[in-house]
C-alpha cells in the first residue's frame, strides 16, 4: 500500500467553518450511520452520507462516477498525480471502504466525512471527503489525505 502525500485542499474552508459565528454541526447518526439533519438550501447530511457510500462503494469509485460526480479541482489534481488515485489517497484498490458520520458546516457551505480504506493484514487508512452543499448534482469536491 502506498499512500498519497498530505494536501491542504479545502482545509481553509474547514477551519473557517470551525471559527464561523454560526457553528457547524455534526448531525446525529441514525441506525445506518446517516444523519437526518438538513442543511438549508443544500444537501443534507443524510444525502451526503448516501452519496459517499454509493460513490465509493466497496473498492473505490467507478469510471462513470469519476467522470460525473467529481469536481474539476479533483480532476485536475488527478491529472497532476498520475501515479496515484487522489480519490482514494492510494496507489491501488482497497479491500473495503467505510464512510464515517457526516458533518455539515452551513456557514462554510460544505459537508464532510472520514473515509476509511481497509487493506490486507487488518491495515486501515483514513482521509476526509468533502462535498459542497450547493453542488448540483451532488459531487465530491475535494479529498484531504491523512498523511
Amino acid at each position: 500500500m502506498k499512500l498519497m502525500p498530505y494536501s491542504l485542499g479545502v482545509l481553509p474552508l474547514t477551519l473557517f467553518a470551525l471559527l464561523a459565528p454560526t457553528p457547524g454541526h455534526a448531525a446525529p447518526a441514525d441506525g445506518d450511520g446517516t444523519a437526518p439533519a438538513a442543511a438549508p438550501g443544500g444537501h443534507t447530511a443524510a444525502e451526503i452520507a448516501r452519496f459517499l457510500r454509493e460513490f465509493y462503494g466497496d473498492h473505490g469509485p467507478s469510471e462513470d462516477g469519476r467522470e460525473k460526480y467529481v469536481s474539476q479541482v479533483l480532476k485536475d489534481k488527478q491529472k497532476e498525480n498520475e501515479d496515484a488515485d487522489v480519490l482514494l489517497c492510494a496507489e491501488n484498490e482497497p479491500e473495503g471502504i467505510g464512510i464515517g458520520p457526516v458533518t455539515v458546516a452551513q456557514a462554510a457551505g460544505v459537508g464532510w466525512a472520514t473515509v476509511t480504506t481497509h487493506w490486507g493484514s487488518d491495515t486501515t487508512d483514513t482521509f476526509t471527503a468533502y462535498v459542497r452543499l450547493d453542488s448540483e448534482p451532488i459531487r465530491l469536491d475535494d479529498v484531504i489525505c491523512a498523511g
Side-chain angles (χ1 to χ4, degrees), residues 55 61-70 75:
F55 178 79
S62 67
E63 289 304 315
D64 187 54
R66 290 170 184 275
E67 182 60 34
K68 293 181 181 177
Y69 304 109
V70 174
K75 289 177 182 179

Side-chain angles (χ1 to χ4, degrees), residues 59-145:
H59 304 288
S62 67
E63 289 304 315
D64 187 54
R66 290 170 184 275
E67 182 60 34
K68 293 181 181 177
Y69 304 109
V70 174
S71 71
Q72 189 61 48
V73 169
L74 278 172
K75 289 177 182 179
D76 293 344
K77 208 185 269 192
Q78 184 62 67
K79 287 178 186 175
E80 295 171 9
N81 297 286
E82 295 178 5
D83 295 336
D85 187 338
V86 300
L87 302 182
L88 291 168
C89 295
E91 289 187 355
N92 47 7
E93 182 179 292
E95 293 179 5
I97 298 176
I99 308 297
V102 172
T103 299
V104 172
Q106 294 174 358
V110 68
W112 66 89
T114 298
V115 178
T116 303
T117 51
H118 302 272
W119 307 90
S121 304
D122 296 326
T123 303
T124 61
D125 193 28
T126 61
F127 59 89
T128 306
Y130 293 86
V131 173
R132 286 179 46 143
L133 300 182
D134 64 353
S135 62
E136 191 59 46
I138 191 169
R139 71 179 141 261
L140 189 63
D141 191 56
D142 204 355
V143 170
I144 305 297
C145 301

Side-chain angles (χ1 to χ4, degrees), residues 5-20:
Y6 180 76
S7 167
L8 289 180
V10 296
L11 184 59
L13 283 177
T14 305
L15 293 175
F16 172 77
L18 295 173
L19 300 173

